[in-house]
Amino acid sequence: MSEIFEISIRSIYVNCTAILISTFVAVPLALIVDFFGFRSKRFVILLFQTLTGIPPVLVGLLVYLLFSRKGPLGNLGLLFTSTAMILAQILIAIPIIFSICYSHFSKIDEKLRVIMKTLGATGFQQMMGVFRESSVGVVNAILTAFGRIVGEVGAVMIVGGNIAGRTRILTTSIVLYTNMGRFDDAIMAGAVLLMIAFSVNVLITVFSDSMEKKKWYTR
Amino acid sequence: MVYQISKLQFSYDSGFTLFVDEFLMQNSIVGITGPSGSGKTTFLLNLAFLYTGKWESFKFMGKEIDVDDLSSLRKRVTYVPQHPILFRRTVFENIAYPLKVRRFSHEQIRKKVYSIAENFRIQDLLNKKAWQISGGQAKRVCLARGFVFEPDVVLLDEPTSDLDEDSGKLIEQFILDVSSRTSIVVVSHDKQQLCRLCSNILYMEKGRLLHTL
Amino acid sequence: MKKLVFVLLLMLACVCVAKQLILATTTSVYNTGLLDFLKPQFEKRYGHSLSIVAVGTGMALEYGKRADADILLVHSPEDELLFMKEGHGVLRVSFMYNDFVIVGPDDKTVPSVRTVQEFFDYIYENKLSFVSRADESGTHKKEKQIWKSLNKVPSGAWYIQTGQDMARTLMIADEKRAFTLTDRSTFLALKNKLNMKIFFEGDPQLLNIYSLIVVNPSKSDRLNYEGALDFVRFILDPATLKMISAYSAGETKLFNLLFEPK
């Protein structure tokens, strides 16, 4: 029981850290790409859209080769650590968050951008305006990415190694328990995984609702 | 002189070209009328520094404009479109937006928003969401948002379309009241309205600005 | 955000300070739970922090070549010898074995045969469904070796290649009512969940020998050579060997020693 608790805590830590960092990278990036017109813009968008379909195992393999002792970043000693798992999940999550956010940002009415400009908003304020107008889309993007990485097993298995007490998370433990014939434990871990995914969904929904209702002024 | 423009030219990709030989504007209300598609809105967007074409001379407040610094010019001019466009926020937040981007304090924002809301009789709507109000109400919210930060110039595109007669009268009165400190350009199909509001009425046709009506 | 960076740095520091010993093991041993059972005793006695990564033998050897693991526990003697010959390892100790068995759907009947080649030949000639791991694991290598000795190349709809680990391959074999080659310990662990039984066993060719390999420390400064040697010392300790030979799942002992501890 304490084993599954410890694994769950690590799962939450890895997934949440990954999603947090991905969000802080991908959302501003999507805003910037949406705001500025530059020559390779279409290429960048296409690239990220393509990367959303990349098999996570391939990401795992790339991160493994990067952190392998014979690899370019081997000296950091990050292979088989939760940091490496977080990095792999970040690489999986960023294209997803970016693409979904961008598609929402680019759908903002051109007339609204004109209004923001004529009311005196600076470039940054216009970006923030676009962000606020599509906040539901951003939440959707984060949830989608979270759903993808929370159940992901291939990449974290390769870069983390599923080491007991270090890099074992719910998904990799399910694989292990299944292989060991401990089906009850596998189902237990699966149930915890579902519960985590469910509570994150509830949390974000409640949060975005309260953001919607929040009034920063009083009568 | 608010605007002093000579030989302004602006073309869309579609081929439509706006050409303004000369446009002079003192502190006053100027009216522009003309058939649909004659380029009135395009001209307003040029005056609002939202579109930039080519010109021989384009002076704003007596100074030649700097195309690299349009954003500081935009802070002094605002454009209110014919069809209301609001943020998906409350009415209060919509009206407060131009003040917020100018970093007014919360106290000042409240004062200004409430005072302008009273002028436009929308004080009861402030807590409503933008999508919960009618088209005519949204139009008044947009107008209030344009005037709340007291810009030097307000460019109004059909300010009283979508409005009932009472509200129309209210807006006209407001325009006349603020015209002493704010320069206003009004685009309207309603020539009688323009006659009530301004002494100087211009006529546009096929992308050209004509001075006689 | 600041906090996050701090936590990350702290973790980095931990990883750098406590030099851990990484053991790459074949899944078939790890899944029996033997290593998790031995781990706390090793850590207590030698003071190293042991991390166990369970992968197929092919991958474990690759980890060794890339210096990602300090010590390997594998079961594919031919590949191990090649690995040693190429200078990737400095010490190889074969210390325990169990055996491969051929399992299949418990309602089938086959004539009794003497050698594994005869059994494979029977499967081949009658096109009985056979599931192969096809993942370069020790088990797969053993299977390929048998086909090779028969001079036959299995192909066709009856030959199912999974590319999965032993447990999933067994479940697929169960589902497809097919035969497969498996190590005894994995089969025993899953036996209650499968409608399968052992059809062939006991051929000396089916011995499954496990060896420890210490990775060549000249490959990387970061290799924990001392720890690896300590692990070999720990395994070869008579007390440990006795624990290994006594380790069992239910009634059945899982591993036999290649030599008697004094």
Side-chain angles (χ1 to χ4, degrees), chain A residues 111-112 114-122 125-126 129 132-133 212-213 215-219, chain B residues 50 75 77-79 81 85 87-90 92-93 97 100-102 106 110 123 127 129 145:
Chain A
K111 287 176 194 146
L112 195 80
V114 168
I115 289 294
M116 286 193 282
K117 259 194 210 173
T118 198
L119 291 176
T122 61
Q125 286 166 336
Q126 288 171 46
R132 266 199 67 173
E133 284 298 298
E212 195 68 25
K213 286 185 191 115
K215 296 187 184 79
W216 56 274
Y217 57 91
T218 44
R219 232 177 212 287
Chain B
L50 292 165
K75 295 240 180 219
V77 182
T78 198
Y79 158 73
I85 294 160
F87 296 103
R88 291 180 57 80
R89 308 182 196 176
T90 63
F92 181 97
E93 283 177 281
Y97 185 78
K100 246 176 113 185
V101 302
R102 284 171 177 77
H106 283 196
R110 255 178 61 190
Q123 60 270 50
N127 275 323
K129 302 278 185 189
R145 188 175 61 184

Side-chain angles (χ1 to χ4, degrees), chain C residues 3-37:
Chain C
K3 244 183 190 166
L4 200 80
V5 172
F6 179 73
V7 169
L8 283 176
L9 283 176
L10 201 76
M11 279 171 36
L12 213 98
C14 287
V15 171
C16 294
V17 171
K19 205 173 183 186
Q20 48 175 326
L21 177 66
I22 296 170
L23 165 67
T25 174
T26 166
T27 37
S28 56
V29 177
Y30 188 74
N31 289 350
T32 63
L34 172 67
L35 295 170
D36 278 337
F37 166 69

Side-chain angles (χ1 to χ4, degrees), chain A residues 13 64 68-69 166 168 181, chain C residues 11 30 49 51 67-68 193:
Chain A
Y13 163 71
Y64 163 71
S68 170
R69 278 176 189 158
R166 278 179 197 277
R168 183 163 301 164
Chain C
M11 279 171 36
Y30 188 74
S49 131
S51 293
D68 288 329
K193 273 103 183 168

Side-chain angles (χ1 to χ4, degrees), chain A residues 56-73:
Chain A
V57 183
L58 188 60
V59 175
L61 183 63
L62 292 176
V63 174
Y64 163 71
L65 292 173
L66 196 68
F67 285 143
S68 170
R69 278 176 189 158
K70 290 279 178 196
L73 295 179

Side-chain angles (χ1 to χ4, degrees), chain C residues 9 20 67 86 110 159 168 192 205 216-217 227 245 253:
Chain C
L9 283 176
Q20 48 175 326
E86 285 170 352
V110 292
Y159 188 69
R168 263 177 282 187
N192 295 335
Q205 289 179 74
N216 191 339
S245 78
K253 291 213 295 174

Side-chain angles (χ1 to χ4, degrees), chain C residues 243-261:
Chain C
M243 278 190 282
I244 292 172
S245 78
Y247 191 77
S248 57
E251 303 289 284
T252 334
K253 291 213 295 174
L254 292 175
F255 300 104
N256 310 295
L257 298 175
L258 282 167
F259 42 82
E260 280 306 309

